[in-house]
Amino acid sequence: MAGRRARGVNAAAPSADRAVALTRAWVNRVVIGLNLCPFAKAPQVKGRIRYVHSEAATPQALLQTLADELRFLTETPIETVETTLLIHPQTLTDFARYTDFTRQAEALVESLGLLGVLQIASFHPHYQFADAAPTDVTNATNRSPYPMLHLIREESIDRAVAAFPEAETIYKANKATMRKLGKQGVAALLLQCAQDADGG
């Protein structure tokens, strides 16, 4: 039940249902709606995006969950689950700490022998590109509602590049999209996401 919280869960944290609903709305309206990722619509429509809410309250606990999800993805046919969004609202809310953790996450992929099989993309409410100021609207391309790790199959990337050779230039188009939308446009879009998550 969305309004009930498990024992030990931070009272300020969203429920699992809320976190997943808002993330799903963000994928629909921002990632797909703005065409930030031309390859996201098909797996979303086909139900092949796995949304996982983690109640991990420490980076160590999150690392264990990540290991479980990496293994799950390798053991599951791509026709069933193509990609996983691991949402973790209760830990790594500070972007600098999140960035440090991503190095551990990448090391975990290597230690599990999954280099060339899976990779991890970064999304965070306070995401900041290395060459951008914190207030730069282009950061919004990677600003998810909650801290999140995107587990991607290399196979999916290969297919995407084959279907769309200009894939490596997508990030430039995405930044242009955010500049055109502007901060007010981004804020309005995020409000719509929240309304979607609330069933509005």
Side-chain angles (χ1 to χ4, degrees), residues 70-71 74 108-119 154:
L70 288 168
R71 293 189 185 98
T74 61
L108 177 62
V109 171
E110 183 174 4
S111 70
L112 292 175
L114 297 177
L115 280 180
V117 179
L118 298 176
Q119 64 173 256
E154 294 282 0

Side-chain angles (χ1 to χ4, degrees), residues 172-188:
K172 293 182 180 179
N174 289 348
K175 288 187 175 185
T177 295
M178 288 304 177
R179 291 191 186 100
K180 183 177 180 180
L181 191 62
K183 293 180 181 178
Q184 290 185 341
V186 170

